[in-house]
Amino acid sequence: MWTAASPRLCVMNLGRTKDGPAAAPRPGAALAALAAAQFTVMLATSIVNVALPQIRLGAGLSDGGMTWVVNAYSLAFGALLLAGGRAGDLLGRRRVLVAGLVLFAGASAAAGLTASPGVLIAARTVQGLGAAAIAPAALALTIGLFPPGPGRARALGVWGAVSGAGGAAGVLLGGILTQAWGWPWIFHAVAIGTVLVLVAVVALVPRGGGRVPGRFDLPGTVTVTLALTGLVWALTRAREAGWTDPGVVGGLLGSLVLFAAFAVIERRRPDALVPPRLFATGRVAPGNLLMALLGSVWIALFFFLPLSMQQVLGMSALATGVGQLPLAAANMLGALAAPRLARRTGATATLTAGLLLEGAGLLWLSRIDSGGSYAADVLGPTVLIGLGLGLAFVQLTALAVDGVPGRDAGLAGGLVNTTRQIGGVIGLACLATLAGSVTAGVSVHTPGPEALTAGYRAAFAVSAGVLAATALLAPLLTCRSRRTGTADGTADTGTPPHAPSATAPHRTSRDRNRASAARPFPSPPSPPTDRDTACTPSTPPLPSSSAWPR
């Protein structure tokens, strides 16, 4: 029977969903917005590489000023990631993400509107500051949206796909925009895209999560930020002035002293910026170490590859950008396939395969010839590199945040981004020095493109060696992490895994059956040899929602 209240009731019910009483954005839509934010950060890292010669002429930059268009962004981004991640935990991750996007968009617009070298470099610095807020907050929100299990694995696959594709897309868009409308449009396009991402985040990312109780570790934050700043500055200067330059030596020594001071400060503070509990699972440290090694090759790849395509093969900026499409497509394919492959063969096997694939591609690329072509010398290697990079990045991101308490998700996201960025700066400085030395040595007898080709070959070959060493380390480190953590992601306290907790409520057989049914990866009755690490566990493994060995 219809009453006056009936239409109102029907209207109210339209706002209800099967997931809850109020209509809320679906996790998939929120993931799309968060992935777009990560894509924007990665895009800004590489979009200026192809346009550097035009930026130099248009803004009146010197050789040193031109390199700081790249270095200023990397310096601020790498030095402030830890602070950005912790700020997200304490102030609210969505709030920090929105603030970072606003800052990033404003700095991008300012960079495109100015013709002053000083303002351009300052704008790139502020861009890096905004990126340091965006990247860890977006990753932490992604982790919070998807609990451990297949859903989170797929989400991290999407995350890895856009991260790798962003670097390749930056080279592509940089070439297209520079050739069509001029270099200011690379910054205008980033500003417009960031505003669209900001609207999507506000509309689609839920407000839940709130703040984590605690205080900001100001002494630790200042100390580690200064240490990272000194390290990044010294390494970027070493590419120009050499490793024996007094400024480089002073910067490296100063950063070591500050890192030691940071370790002392963190041991004494109850609200430490990097608390010891973050490493309690035994997986965070190996994940970050391996990510630093991957980053040392990753960032250098997107620096050397466009240069070699232009300077060795004679390709235009536009052709160089279009030539990145196969790498981007392969990277997305590898990242999206990583979760499914990890469930079938194991996370460590997937990671090792990805590292070896990328290493094989770089070894192939080290055979590039000054008289060669894109189809013969670049296309095949970049497809292998893209597939391997996608597989490895997804697995290392999952390893670096596996078992981290929810209150530290932002910090864990900041830490893994920091290690990747700092590893990239170290790798680029070392490989650029190597390439320059080889080129200088060869040019004495064989000047011209052959000398440049020899330098790029050396950089690609050493990168392949680094990835081969990382592939050897991966099973050893992940096997060790199994022995230092328990199945529930807490530190090993010596209590047998199956022992009941003194504070846990009594569980009936019905409770245990429900819990077992909810686990996506039940363990077999007997403890077989661990296929991930090839080490036999001393105790039967507990069911886990993670593909990583526990």
Side-chain angles (χ1 to χ4, degrees), residues 49-219:
N49 290 350
V50 176
L52 283 176
Q54 291 82 358
I55 293 175
R56 177 186 178 185
L57 294 175
L61 291 164
S62 63
D63 288 341
M66 183 179 68
T67 59
W68 276 102
V69 173
V70 178
N71 294 342
Y73 181 85
S74 301
L75 179 64
F77 186 29
L80 295 170
L81 273 166
L82 277 177
R86 195 56 179 163
D89 290 335
L90 297 177
L91 302 177
R93 291 154 192 160
R94 186 178 182 274
R95 183 181 293 109
V96 169
L97 174 59
V98 169
L101 287 168
V102 171
L103 199 62
F104 196 85
S108 301
L113 293 172
T114 186
S116 166
V119 175
L120 176 60
I121 293 173
R124 285 286 285 172
T125 303
V126 178
Q127 256 192 328
L129 174 61
I134 294 169
L139 179 57
L141 287 167
T142 300
I143 295 170
L145 282 172
F146 298 90
R152 178 178 289 182
R154 287 191 293 269
L156 290 177
V158 173
W159 188 267
V162 300
S163 296
V171 179
L172 170 62
L173 288 177
I176 294 174
L177 294 172
T178 300
Q179 189 158 322
W181 296 299
W183 68 265
W185 271 96
I186 65 175
F187 297 111
H188 296 329
V190 171
I192 294 170
T194 305
V195 171
L196 295 177
V197 172
L198 175 62
V199 173
V201 167
V202 172
L204 300 175
V205 177
R207 294 179 176 271
R211 306 180 184 182
V212 174
R215 294 187 302 173
F216 202 73
D217 177 15
L218 186 59

Side-chain angles (χ1 to χ4, degrees), residues 483-515:
R483 299 190 182 108
T484 57
T486 60
D488 61 355
T490 59
D492 186 2
T493 58
T495 305
H498 296 288
S501 169
T503 59
H506 176 70
R507 300 175 66 194
T508 65
S509 60
R510 179 179 298 179
D511 294 333
R512 287 190 292 271
N513 290 337
R514 288 176 178 173

Side-chain angles (χ1 to χ4, degrees), residues 445-468:
H445 305 288
T446 313
E450 290 80 5
L452 284 172
T453 304
Y456 290 131
R457 280 180 169 179
F460 292 139
V462 171
S463 297
V466 170
L467 288 176

Side-chain angles (χ1 to χ4, degrees), residues 36 44 74-75 96 132 144 239 273 285 304 317 355 359 381 453 471 483 523 533 544:
S74 301
L75 179 64
V96 169
R239 289 163 48 192
L273 175 66
F304 286 115
L355 293 170
T453 304
R483 299 190 182 108
S523 299
T533 60
S544 170

